[in-house]
């Protein structure tokens, strides 16, 4: 072996886990969406490993969105929804991907702006803002939890006319406001017990946390958004150019 190089030796447990994962990938490649995945017990017998080794491989596939729980068993999941990062609404993005968007309203009320929200919206702390929290659906499945904050003085008319189960983006545009630019930051987090309950997932499932601040054509803030997305059900894609 060349000088200065070292051979990587994996512990036996990791080697077994890798072998199981590789074999599971082959099994999934032969199955269709909704097909049942063999049980932990059957897989442990087939691969001649401990059930915990199989369980870890299945957990990894669950987090990646390759499989999902259904009743007391596990089935092959449909591919993740890949949402482009753009100024389009969630509704437009979902429809363009052949998915049926939906929303469940958690709350729609007026609250005093905290320091971060006030700064993002160009307001004084404590100024009333409209807060809309909704569970985002794709084909009836819960994939996201979105909280949007809007200056109440600017968008008070939405109270009377807007149906919060529909596209907020479209409703804001209907007032004559033009979305011109946005700043977004994405990071990974774990859900709180409340968030996990609303998203029907566990607190151990990695989530994608998106922060967005949108501006109109005059540079005035439109909204501050904090959105959580299930990492096993959705991915984001950006188109870059020079």
């Amino acid at each position: 072996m060349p000088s200065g190089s070292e051979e990587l030796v994996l512990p036996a447990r990791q080697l077994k886990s890798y072998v199981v994962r590789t074999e599971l990938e082959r099994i999934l490649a032969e199955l269709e969406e909704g097909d049942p995945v063999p049980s932990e017990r059957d897989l442990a017998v087939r691969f001649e490993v401990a059930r915990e080794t199989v369980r870890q491989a299945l957990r990894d596939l669950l987090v990646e969105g390759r499989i999902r729980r259904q009743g007391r068993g596990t089935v092959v999941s449909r591919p993740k929804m890949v949402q482009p990062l753009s100024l389009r609404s969630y509704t437009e993005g979902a429809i363009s991907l052949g998915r049926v968007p939906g929303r469940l309203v958690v709350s729609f009320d007026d609250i005093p702006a905290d320091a971060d929200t006030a700064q993002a919206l160009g307001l004084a702390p404590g100024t009333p803002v409209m807060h809309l929290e909704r569970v985002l659906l794709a084909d009836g499945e819960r994939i996201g939890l979105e909280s949007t904050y809007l200056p109440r003085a600017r968008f008070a008319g939405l109270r009377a006319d807007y149906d919060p189960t529909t596209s907020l983006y479209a409703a804001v545009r209907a007032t004559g406001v033009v979305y011109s630019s946005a700043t977004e930051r994405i990071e990974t987090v774990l859900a709180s017990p409340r968030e996990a309950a609303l998203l029907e997932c566990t607190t151990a499932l990695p989530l994608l946390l998106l922060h967005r601040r949108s501006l109109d054509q005059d540079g005035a803030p439109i909204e501050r958004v904090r959105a959580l997305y299930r990492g096993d059900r959705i991915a984001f894609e950006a188109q870059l150019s020079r």
Side-chain angles (χ1 to χ4, degrees):
M1 184 175 294
S3 176
S5 64
E6 296 182 0
E7 182 179 1
L8 178 62
V9 179
L10 296 176
R13 184 175 180 180
Q14 290 187 29
L15 286 172
K16 287 183 179 180
S17 178
Y18 176 78
V19 171
V20 170
R21 171 59 187 266
T22 301
E23 292 302 317
L24 280 172
E25 293 278 2
R26 292 176 182 170
I27 291 174
L28 294 181
E30 298 176 356
L31 300 176
E32 302 292 336
E33 177 188 337
D35 286 347
V37 177
S39 68
E40 287 181 8
R41 180 178 180 179
D42 290 343
L43 291 170
V45 171
R46 180 187 304 189
F47 301 141
E48 298 181 345
V49 296
R51 289 183 65 172
E52 180 55 36
T53 302
V54 173
R55 188 173 297 123
Q56 181 58 55
L58 290 173
R59 283 198 201 104
D60 292 345
L61 291 169
L62 189 68
V63 169
E64 292 177 15
R66 300 288 305 282
I67 60 177
R68 61 181 173 84
R69 302 295 187 193
Q70 182 169 293
R72 300 182 64 181
T74 304
V75 300
V76 178
S77 182
R78 72 181 303 172
K80 287 186 181 182
M81 176 177 167
V82 180
Q83 181 86 335
L85 291 173
S86 69
L87 285 175
R88 292 191 305 175
S89 70
Y90 168 72
T91 298
E92 293 169 332
I95 291 175
S96 71
L97 297 171
R99 308 293 288 271
V100 179
R103 298 167 186 81
L104 300 175
V105 179
V106 179
S107 63
F108 188 22
D109 48 22
D110 295 337
I111 62 173
D114 61 23
D116 290 339
T117 300
Q119 181 178 20
L121 297 179
L123 305 171
T127 302
V129 295
M130 299 170 64
H131 173 227
L132 175 58
E133 184 179 32
R134 300 179 293 180
V135 174
L136 302 179
L137 308 175
D139 299 328
E141 184 178 22
R142 301 184 182 211
I143 65 168
L145 177 63
E146 182 182 76
S147 285
T148 303
Y149 303 86
L150 300 163
R152 189 181 71 175
R154 185 177 188 184
F155 296 106
L158 294 178
R159 276 293 182 198
D161 305 325
Y162 172 59
D163 176 0
T165 65
T166 62
S167 171
L168 177 60
Y169 185 92
V172 170
R173 285 191 305 184
T175 67
V177 173
V178 176
Y179 285 81
S180 179
S181 64
T183 301
E184 293 186 324
R185 186 177 83 246
I186 301 176
E187 54 192 298
T188 56
V189 296
L190 295 177
S192 68
R194 174 182 180 272
E195 292 164 341
L198 288 170
L199 287 172
E200 296 183 345
C201 66
T202 71
T203 55
L205 179 69
L207 303 178
L208 299 172
L209 172 59
L210 182 148
H211 297 277
R212 182 172 67 249
R213 178 175 181 259
S214 303
L215 307 178
D216 65 16
Q217 70 272 32
D218 298 319
I222 299 173
E223 62 180 0
R224 178 194 182 207
V225 179
R226 180 186 186 274
L228 285 169
Y229 294 93
R230 289 182 51 158
D232 62 334
R233 301 310 321 134
I234 192 168
F236 291 97
E237 181 178 73
Q239 184 173 5
L240 306 177
S241 61
R242 251 185 106 168

